[in-house]
Amino acid sequence: MQLDTRFPHPGPRVPVLGDIFGADRRRPTLHEMELAKTLGPIYERKLLDIHLTIVAGGRLAAECNDEQRWARALAGPTLKFREITGSGLFTARTRDPLWAQARHILDPGFAQGALRVYHEAMTSVADDLVASWTAAGVVDVHRAMTDATLEVIARAGFSRDLGLFSEAGPQPEVADLLQTLATVLSWASESSNDLPVIGPIRGAWQRRSFAGGLDRVRDYVDGIVADRVAGREPERDDLLRLMLNSADPETGEMLPHDNIRDQVLTFLVAGHETTAALLETVVWYLARHPDLAARVRAEAGMRGFDYAGVAGMKFTRSVLNEALRLWPAVPAYFRTSRVDQQLGGYDIPAGHTVLVHALSSQRDTDVWGDDAATFRPDRWEAKALREFPDRFFTPFGTGPRSCIGRAFAMQESALMISRLADAFDLAFADPADDARSAPEMRERGTLRPAPYRLTCTARTPVTAHDRRR
């Protein structure tokens, strides 16, 4: 089967170069969302001889998640992340035996029993976050959420305090991590629409700019692993212990130490960046809508902040889901056709890769209703969900390569959001933000709100039992 030639496409299409005028290097997925409004649920982008099919409708996107007919494709920004995380869970190729081995070993580390253990580390970071906001009064939310999510991963994953909330500031290796991560994330986003000739040149320059920092980051993580193996640090009930001491139940093989390093870097990079994006988005909406913050606060007052209390925060999790629906941190992902098939009435040959545009598909009015672009957490109530039987919602990926840390991220996010709503009245420090109906979003591999500041006024907790852990 040949690829269909009838796809809608942005115009004008230039000979040889293709749809070069329909690309936006700095806002690639946000730009595609605007294109989808006029081009429809499936269309094409052509650059030189590369034909990229964009799937932007909820029902068609759901078809692409069928594991019998479609497979995960490692491409775009995800491929760029391999520069840091190598063969970690997020960036390893499915055919790599270490991927399946690591998944088998790590699955118990994200089960409910393990989350109960990690809750203590999450709570310690929430305490530090609330204390820092109380002292500051006016906060940079982007920096605060970056620090908080990195600390959660470090304390729960390998029992290290990175010093991001200390007066002395972060360790030098952590500062290298932050700088290297920022460089790679920007490159991952901006290179998504590079022409084939330009991309390799830009990539070579970018690699030189972060190579030294990346080496130091890897040395730092190797040192953490070596300290635990040599007994210079006591055994802890964390993810590092699981990786060092557990064998794959199917093969009996242990993970090599260089792969454990890749897994730790994966948790630090992918785990913190996506969760920080979610937290920034939710906090923006709580500041914009004090009534939502009051409902989150009231739920915290009823349930408390121990593990079971946070796990049962239904409305808070509805707020999180609605933020993930409108602004998924991973706004698009690639899928490859396993067989010759049709999609939306167009011929798709086996081996052809499409981009599932989750940012558009999760706002599709055909599956989410006429108010799909509106932030409305109540749509996640059980009764309301019955109105959307064909809803499309995949912020954590799909199939066997879906995010292993989904439950971890949701528990962490529910705790942080409820603690902040309980501790503060939130207001935008800059009038321009107060005038917006939705956050201004930026892309650097993930989708995150543009940095903004809040004024935090400390408040009295709703009830005395709110401090339970």
Side-chain angles (χ1 to χ4, degrees), residues 112-414:
Q112 186 179 85
L115 292 180
R116 289 181 179 276
V117 175
Y118 305 149
H119 190 77
E120 181 177 351
M122 295 177 184
T123 300
S124 72
V125 177
D127 290 342
D128 287 345
L129 181 63
V130 169
S132 70
W133 284 28
T134 301
V138 176
V139 298
D140 176 341
V141 180
H142 181 90
R143 172 65 184 272
M145 295 312 174
T146 297
D147 290 351
T149 51
L150 277 169
E151 282 289 2
V152 166
I153 292 294
R155 296 183 196 181
F158 46 93
S159 303
R160 286 284 181 103
D161 189 320
L162 300 181
L164 294 170
F165 288 103
S166 70
E167 292 184 6
Q171 303 158 14
E173 297 88 347
V174 177
D176 278 336
L177 171 67
L178 294 174
Q179 181 57 53
T180 302
L181 175 60
T183 302
V184 174
L185 289 172
S186 296
W187 171 43
S189 180
E190 293 177 10
S191 63
S192 295
N193 284 304
D194 272 342
L195 291 172
V197 175
I198 296 174
I201 297 174
R202 189 191 308 279
W205 182 86
Q206 290 281 14
R207 286 184 185 90
R208 285 197 298 270
S209 71
F210 65 73
L214 182 56
D215 286 342
R216 290 189 293 274
V217 168
R218 286 175 172 158
D219 288 344
Y220 172 64
V221 176
D222 283 338
I224 291 173
V225 175
D227 286 346
R228 188 70 67 88
V229 170
R232 290 188 289 270
E233 285 190 353
E235 282 290 315
R236 308 281 189 182
D237 197 1
D238 55 19
L239 286 171
L240 182 57
R241 178 180 180 275
L242 187 68
M243 288 187 286
L244 285 171
N245 298 323
S246 301
D248 179 354
E250 293 192 6
T251 66
E253 297 289 330
M254 305 289 287
L255 283 176
H257 288 180
D258 60 346
N259 188 261
I260 292 176
R261 177 196 65 206
D262 289 348
Q263 305 303 342
V264 171
L265 287 170
T266 296
F267 299 140
L268 284 170
V269 174
H272 107 268
E273 175 71 13
T274 52
T275 306
L278 171 59
L279 290 172
E280 284 180 69
T281 304
V282 172
V283 169
W284 192 96
Y285 279 107
L286 294 187
R288 185 69 177 80
H289 302 286
D291 57 317
L292 291 180
R295 291 178 67 181
V296 171
R297 184 180 306 125
E299 184 173 60
M302 290 186 294
R303 300 202 58 86
F305 294 120
D306 61 3
Y307 172 80
V310 173
M313 289 181 174
K314 293 183 179 180
F315 179 72
T316 302
R317 287 171 184 261
S318 292
V319 172
L320 295 172
N321 279 336
E322 186 68 344
L324 286 168
R325 184 185 69 83
L326 282 178
W327 303 112
V330 181
Y333 54 93
F334 290 89
R335 301 284 283 173
T336 297
S337 179
R338 296 181 186 270
V339 296
D340 290 345
Q341 58 184 300
Q342 280 207 334
L343 183 66
Y346 297 96
D347 292 332
I348 305 290
H352 182 67
T353 296
V354 305
L355 178 70
V356 177
H357 197 259
L359 183 61
S360 295
S361 301
Q362 293 182 175
R363 294 163 170 256
D364 186 352
T365 56
D366 286 345
V367 299
W368 280 108
D370 292 340
D371 68 343
T374 302
F375 187 85
R376 184 168 67 82
D378 287 333
R379 75 174 75 243
W380 291 94
E381 293 180 355
K383 181 180 179 181
L385 282 177
R386 288 195 285 272
E387 300 175 20
F388 314 116
D390 296 330
R391 60 187 177 274
F392 180 80
F393 182 65
T394 57
F396 295 99
T398 184
R401 296 304 300 263
S402 60
C403 177
I404 194 173
R406 174 177 184 167
F408 183 105
M410 293 298 282
Q411 181 76 7
E412 171 189 0
S413 298

